[in-house]
Amino acid sequence: MSFPASRIFSRCDLFPEEFSIVVTLRVPNLPAKRNEYLLTVVAEDSDLLLLGLRFSPSQLHFLFLSEDVAGAWQTRVSFRSPALGDSRWHTLVLAVTAGVFSLTTDCGLPLDIMADVPFPATLSVRGARFFIGSRRRAKGLFTGLVRQLVLLPGSDATPRLCPSRNAPLAVLSIPRVLRALTGKPEDNEVLKYPYETNIRVTLGPRPPCTKVEDAQFWFDAGRKGLYLCVGNEWVSVLAAKERLDYVEEHQKLLTSSETLGIEVFRIPQAGLFVATANRKATSAVYKWTEGKFVSYQSIPTHQAQAWRHFTIGKKIFLAVAILNQIEKGQEFFCHLKMEHRKLKFTPYQKHLPHSARDWEAFEVDGEPLVPGDTHNIDSVIYKWKPGNPALRRPTRPSPPLVLRLGVLQCGALLILVVATPSTARPQSALAPLHPLLGSFQLFQSCLPTFGAADWEVFHIGERIFLAVANSHSYDVEMQVQNDSYVINSVIYELNVTAQAFVKFQDILTCRGRGLHAGRAEG
C-alpha cells in the first residue's frame, strides 16, 4: 500500500524533527538473514530512501537520509533483540528526539541510543511517497499482520499508551472495527483473531474496483499476483517476478582429464548416452539412469578431440577424432561398433589418425559417407561398402590444415564446409557435391574464419543463410591483449546472382563453439 506524502504533509514539506512511530504487529518466524520493511518514505523521481523502518529476526533498523556539504548518505540506527519474530503481538514505540533514538517494546523499559548523526532538522519529503509494508521493490515485502501504525509528531508517545493492562496490544489509534476484537477464541487454536479469516480474495478475471470492493483482494492466477483495491484502482501487493527459462546446473561429471568434446545420442531399447572425448588416455561413455548420467564404459583413447555417433542400417557406430599420430606400438582405433548382446562398444575399424579434429557422417543417394577432419594433411571422405562392410576412402576434399569440417544441406545442394586454421590467413571453403562426378568440387573459398567451431544453414522465406561460430583469433596483437576469444561470428547470405555467399551480419561472441537456428513464435 502506498500514498503520496502530500496527503500528510499538506502545509509543510519538512518531516518533523521530533516524532514517534507507534506500531502493533505480529511477525511470523523469519529466516536468519531475512529483512522486511514495515514503513518507508521514498523519493518518487530517484527511488532514494528518505526514511524507513526495517526489521530482521534479531534487530530493528531505523534508516534516514543525512546531508551535509560533503553530500548525502544513509544513516542506520539499529536496536538489538526486539523479539519480533515469535509469531506474537507486540506494540513498539520508536521515539526520535534530537540525537536520541528510543525504542519501547510492550511498555517495557526503553532502549536508548545516542547516535553520532542526529535526525535531520530539514528532511524534505516534497515529491516523496509513503509505502506501507514495502520499499517499492518486491524484495523485503512485509509478511506479518499490522493492527495499528501511527506517525505522531512531537516528543515520546510512550506515556500515551503505557502503562497498559494488555501491553502487547496497547491502543493509541485503531480503527473501530478492530478495536472491539478480543483475545484468542476458545474454539480456535490456530487463528488468534477472527478477522484473520474474514479477508475476501476474489479469484478469476479482473473484477471491478469501486467503493464496494474497497480493501478487498483479487488474485490473478495468470500473472500470479495479489492485488488490493484502493480507491478505484487495483494495487499490486505481491507479484511473481517475470523471468525467462533458465538453464540450471543438474549434474557434474567427473572425467579423467580435460574434456574437449561431448556427443549425446540415443540407442533404441537401450537409452540415452553421452560420450566424452578426454585429452589423456581414457575417454568415457555415460548412460542416463534414474535421473542422472552414470559411468557406463571406459574407452582407451589418445588426445581424443570429438566423438560422432552414426548408424548404418541396424549397425550403431562411434567415431573418435584423435589429434596426434600415435607412436609405433600403441593401440588406437577410430571406429567402434555397438555389440547388441553385450550393449558395449568394441573396436571395429582402425585408420591412421593424422591429427584428426572431427568426424561427420552423412548420406548421398542412400550411400553412407564419413568425412574425417585432419590437421596436417588433406581431409578424407570414407565410403561404406555393403559387400565389404568397412569404410573406404573414395575422395579427398581440400584444402589441407583443416580445423573444422561440416556437412550442410543447402536447398538441393549437399555442401562440405572446411575451415582452416592458418595463422597468416585463416579461411574456409565450400565444396558442393557434383551430381555427375560424384565428388565434392570447390565452390567458394576465402571466407575469413577464425577458429571456426560450428556451421549452420537456415532459411528465411526464400533467402538462404550460412552462419559460422568463430572461437579464436590468431592475431598476435589480440593474443597479447588476452582478448583473442572475443571476436565476431558471422552470418553469410547466398547471393544468387553472384553465385556466392556474402557477409550479411557480424555478431560479437566470446569463444563461440556452437550455433542453432530456431524460429521465434509469431
Side-chain angles (χ1 to χ4, degrees):
M1 186 173 69
S2 69
F3 54 88
S6 58
R7 288 190 183 180
I8 298 179
F9 300 94
S10 57
R11 297 184 179 180
C12 179
D13 294 327
L14 299 180
F15 205 90
E17 186 178 0
E18 295 185 350
F19 60 93
S20 294
I21 298 176
V22 181
V23 56
T24 300
L25 74 170
R26 197 183 81 175
V27 179
N29 294 324
L30 296 177
K33 297 183 179 180
R34 178 72 175 269
N35 283 273
E36 296 186 353
Y37 285 94
L38 183 63
L39 168 70
T40 58
V41 182
V42 180
E44 287 268 47
D45 54 349
S46 62
D47 197 37
L48 183 66
L49 182 68
L50 305 179
L51 180 145
L53 196 58
R54 190 183 73 193
F55 65 90
S56 65
S58 60
Q59 288 184 313
L60 180 74
H61 308 285
F62 178 61
L63 315 170
F64 59 90
L65 187 70
S66 300
E67 293 184 274
D68 61 11
V69 293
W73 68 93
Q74 189 180 95
T75 299
R76 181 177 67 188
V77 179
S78 300
F79 299 89
R80 292 188 175 277
S81 302
L84 296 181
D86 57 1
S87 297
R88 298 181 180 181
W89 286 102
H90 295 285
T91 296
L92 310 178
V93 180
L94 174 65
V96 177
T97 305
V100 180
F101 300 84
S102 177
L103 178 66
T104 302
T105 304
D106 298 337
C107 291
L109 294 176
L111 179 61
D112 297 332
I113 294 180
M114 300 289 294
D116 296 334
V117 180
F119 189 80
T122 57
L123 179 62
S124 174
V125 292
R126 180 189 292 271
R129 194 172 187 88
F130 276 80
F131 286 87
I132 309 300
S134 75
R135 191 215 180 287
R136 180 184 277 178
R137 306 166 184 168
K139 186 178 180 180
L141 289 175
F142 177 68
T143 56
L145 294 173
V146 176
R147 194 164 186 247
Q148 69 176 343
L149 178 58
V150 183
L151 173 62
L152 190 69
S155 59
D156 189 359
T158 305
R160 299 182 58 174
L161 289 89
C162 305
S164 173
R165 297 176 62 181
N166 190 0
L169 292 170
V171 175
L172 178 65
S173 177
I174 295 182
R176 183 176 300 176
V177 67
L178 300 179
R179 191 178 302 175
L181 297 177
T182 58
K184 174 182 175 181
E186 295 181 358
D187 59 346
N188 192 335
E189 297 181 356
V190 179
L191 300 175
K192 293 188 175 182
Y193 291 88
Y195 63 83
E196 295 178 22
T197 61
N198 290 341
I199 298 176
R200 293 179 55 191
V201 179
T202 302
L203 181 64
R206 185 185 186 96
C209 179
T210 63
K211 291 183 179 180
V212 178
E213 291 83 19
D214 193 35
Q216 297 299 322
F217 287 92
W218 163 55
F219 181 73
D220 186 348
R223 296 182 179 179
K224 297 181 181 179
L226 183 65
Y227 298 85
L228 176 67
C229 181
V230 180
N232 296 320
E233 182 181 359
W234 287 106
V235 178
S236 175
V237 176
L238 185 64
K241 293 183 180 180
E242 293 185 5
R243 55 171 292 177
L244 300 172
D245 291 331
Y246 290 91
V247 177
E248 298 180 351
E249 182 178 301
H250 176 73
Q251 181 185 358
K252 291 182 179 179
L253 291 178
L254 183 62
T255 57
S256 60
S257 63
E258 179 185 359
T259 300
L260 302 177
I262 292 179
E263 177 79 347
V264 181
F265 57 96
R266 185 178 295 277
I267 298 177
Q269 287 82 47
L272 184 67
F273 295 84
V274 167
T276 63
N278 300 335
R279 184 173 60 87
K280 292 187 178 179
T282 303
S283 294
V285 177
Y286 300 85
K287 183 180 180 182
W288 180 261
T289 305
E290 296 181 354
K292 63 180 181 180
F293 286 101
V294 297
S295 180
Y296 184 76
Q297 183 178 355
S298 294
I299 300 174
T301 57
H302 183 80
Q303 292 282 355
Q305 301 293 297
W307 287 98
R308 285 295 177 266
H309 162 262
F310 60 97
T311 60
I312 299 177
K314 296 183 179 180
K315 298 179 176 65
I316 301 171
F317 296 92
L318 272 180
V320 60
I322 299 175
L323 178 61
N324 296 319
Q325 185 169 349
I326 298 176
E327 298 176 2
K328 187 176 180 180
Q330 273 189 284
E331 287 293 326
F332 73 92
F333 49 86
C334 290
H335 292 87
L336 301 95
K337 179 183 175 184
M338 169 65 78
E339 294 291 342
H340 290 281
R341 292 183 180 180
K342 299 179 181 179
L343 282 180
K344 296 288 183 179
F345 285 99
T346 59
Y348 180 76
Q349 187 176 358
K350 300 178 182 180
H351 303 281
L352 288 176
H354 295 298
S355 295
R357 290 275 190 170
D358 196 15
W359 289 92
E360 294 290 344
F362 60 100
E363 289 187 2
V364 176
D365 296 331
E367 293 188 83
L369 299 175
V370 179
D373 172 0
T374 63
H375 183 66
N376 57 5
I377 63 169
D378 288 350
S379 294
V380 179
I381 297 178
Y382 297 89
K383 182 177 181 180
W384 179 261
K385 293 292 186 181
N388 183 11
L391 293 168
R392 307 296 179 185
R393 49 165 78 179
T395 183
R396 59 174 67 220
S398 61
L401 297 174
V402 176
L403 177 67
R404 178 70 176 174
L405 185 146
V407 179
L408 308 173
Q409 187 75 38
C410 183
L413 293 178
L414 191 67
I415 296 179
L416 189 66
V417 187
V418 183
T420 65
S422 169
T423 58
R425 189 180 181 185
Q427 63 183 31
S428 294
L430 307 179
L433 182 68
H434 196 288
L436 298 178
L437 299 179
S439 62
F440 289 95
Q441 306 296 315
L442 182 63
F443 168 68
Q444 182 180 357
S445 61
C446 299
L447 287 178
T449 54
F450 302 89
D454 196 14
W455 299 87
E456 182 85 359
V457 168
F458 59 96
H459 299 72
I460 300 178
E462 299 296 325
R463 301 166 69 182
I464 301 176
F465 295 88
L466 171 66
V468 57
N470 290 323
S471 64
H472 180 69
S473 174
Y474 296 94
D475 185 83
V476 176
E477 182 179 348
M478 295 286 286
Q479 294 179 8
V480 171
Q481 297 175 358
N482 293 324
D483 205 18
S484 57
Y485 295 113
V486 181
I487 57 175
N488 284 328
S489 294
V490 185
I491 298 176
Y492 297 92
E493 182 179 4
L494 180 62
N495 187 316
V496 179
T497 304
Q499 290 293 301
F501 281 95
V502 295
K503 181 185 288 189
F504 174 77
Q505 183 180 355
D506 286 325
I507 300 176
L508 187 63
T509 56
C510 180
R511 199 168 190 174
R513 300 303 298 269
L515 287 168
H516 179 72
R519 183 177 296 276
E521 294 294 332

